[in-house]
Amino acid sequence: MVELKKPEIELSLEQKDARLRDLIAGYGSLIVAYSGGVDSTFLAGVAHEVLGDKALAVTSRSPSVAPEELEAASELAEKRGWRHLIVDTDEINDPRYLANDGRRCFFCKTELYTHLDKVAGDEGITRVANGANTDDLGDYRPGMEAAKNFEVVSPLVEAGMTKQDIRDLSLKMDLPTWDKPAQPCLSSRIPYGTVVSVEALGMIGKAEKGLRELGFKVVRVRHYGETARVEIPLTDFDRFEEVRSEASAVVIGAGYEVMELEPNGFKSGGLNAALGDLGR
């Protein structure tokens, strides 16, 4: 785990915002690794407000990213007038990534930052930033090790911002992502030790998209071969039973043979419990 620390003195929301903007201004120019999620969208928005055309949001296109996520990120960047670039990453052809051990995210982020480092050189941009926040510091995140290797900065952490801070400030900036649920890459739905494949990622993405269209805003389809284990919040269980036949049709239509509902409900990072020391 990379040692990033919160500021020693707790700041107000306004002070954190000011500190973030000072940090970004000090970079002179900045690439933001922009996935379209809550954190990176907020960071991209602030970077463009502070630096203008010296800020560049860069989004990865790969089978591990749901197509609708890429589309939404592109549409928002265009609407806001942000400089935006899409790069094709190739982690899906890295056997170390496909092995899906505890280091999968390290190899994925290494691939991403390799591309962003090149873009920075081509564009004459001084720094590359990710959207990590202080709530990320207590989790096992090998991607942060990759960030350290490439000297990627984490200005939201340096400004002392929590996820809730980012949501609150995003709402003030009228960003539509302010209440967006977390949407990690599709590979995170595949149990560690099970090989990642383009086919599996496609099945997961199609099933989750269909379930969201049925009204389930927070949903994960955990991939167990021919079985899809659906995770939704416990508060959505009654609603799920009302549309179970439609949900089953969606999941089976995505290529699965069996649909199960996880009885314990949704849990972010639900597969990490089985990780243990794998790959550390």
Side-chain angles (χ1 to χ4, degrees):
M1 182 70 197
V2 177
E3 289 297 327
L4 284 172
K5 297 181 179 179
K6 302 179 185 180
E8 293 181 3
I9 301 175
E10 183 62 29
L11 305 175
S12 69
L13 189 61
E14 292 73 19
Q15 288 173 320
K16 292 178 183 180
D17 189 32
R19 182 169 184 167
L20 175 65
R21 291 170 185 272
D22 286 345
L23 284 168
I24 291 173
Y27 299 144
S29 57
L30 185 67
I31 283 177
V32 175
Y34 169 56
S35 67
V38 178
D39 305 324
S40 67
T41 298
F42 170 69
L43 183 58
V46 174
H48 282 86
E49 285 187 2
V50 174
L51 297 173
D53 287 344
K54 292 183 179 179
L56 176 63
V58 183
T59 306
S60 165
R61 176 168 49 202
S62 82
S64 65
V65 178
E68 61 268 24
E69 288 293 303
L70 177 61
E71 182 180 346
S74 298
E75 288 179 355
L76 180 57
E78 182 177 2
K79 181 178 180 180
R80 292 279 173 152
W82 300 341
R83 288 184 66 208
H84 182 222
L85 178 68
I86 297 172
V87 297
D88 291 297
T89 55
D90 199 32
E91 67 273 11
I92 200 68
N93 288 315
D94 184 342
R96 299 170 301 175
Y97 174 86
L98 297 178
N100 196 24
D101 63 12
R103 300 279 287 169
R104 184 194 68 229
C105 290
F106 173 81
F107 300 119
C108 178
K109 294 299 186 184
T110 295
E111 171 72 7
L112 173 63
Y113 293 141
T114 297
H115 282 271
L116 299 191
D117 200 43
K118 182 180 185 304
V119 173
D122 293 343
E123 295 280 339
I125 294 176
T126 56
R127 306 306 295 263
V128 174
N130 62 28
N133 64 72
T134 60
D135 291 337
D136 297 327
L137 300 184
D139 198 3
Y140 173 58
R141 292 180 179 267
M144 293 299 288
E145 181 184 343
K148 183 178 180 181
N149 291 344
F150 284 85
E151 298 184 344
V152 172
V153 294
S154 301
L156 300 178
V157 172
E158 292 186 56
M161 288 192 176
T162 65
K163 174 70 82 173
Q164 190 58 52
D165 291 335
I166 294 162
R167 291 190 184 279
D168 292 343
L169 289 168
S170 294
L171 180 58
K172 288 187 176 183
M173 291 175 64
D174 196 30
L175 290 170
T177 51
W178 74 271
D179 64 345
K180 182 178 180 178
Q183 185 69 11
C185 83
L186 297 177
S187 296
S188 67
R189 320 297 200 264
I190 302 175
Y192 288 107
T194 299
V195 173
V196 174
S197 70
V198 173
E199 179 186 13
L201 296 174
M203 292 166 64
I204 295 164
K206 185 176 180 181
E208 289 191 353
K209 181 175 185 290
L211 291 171
R212 282 193 295 271
E213 289 172 350
L214 285 176
F216 298 99
K217 193 173 182 180
V218 177
V219 62
R220 298 284 186 275
V221 173
R222 305 298 184 188
H223 181 87
Y224 292 90
E226 297 175 347
T227 298
R229 186 172 300 165
V230 177
E231 286 188 15
I232 55 175
L234 293 172
T235 52
D236 283 343
F237 273 32
D238 289 344
R239 157 80 177 145
F240 188 85
E241 293 305 325
E242 293 174 2
V243 296
R244 178 179 278 272
S245 60
E246 292 94 328
S248 179
V250 163
V251 172
I252 301 305
Y256 292 99
E257 293 190 7
V258 178
M259 180 190 76
E260 298 177 351
L261 180 63
E262 169 55 54
N264 295 315
F266 167 75
K267 182 180 180 182
S268 181
L271 295 180
N272 286 351
L275 183 60
D277 292 328
L278 182 62
R280 297 198 190 191

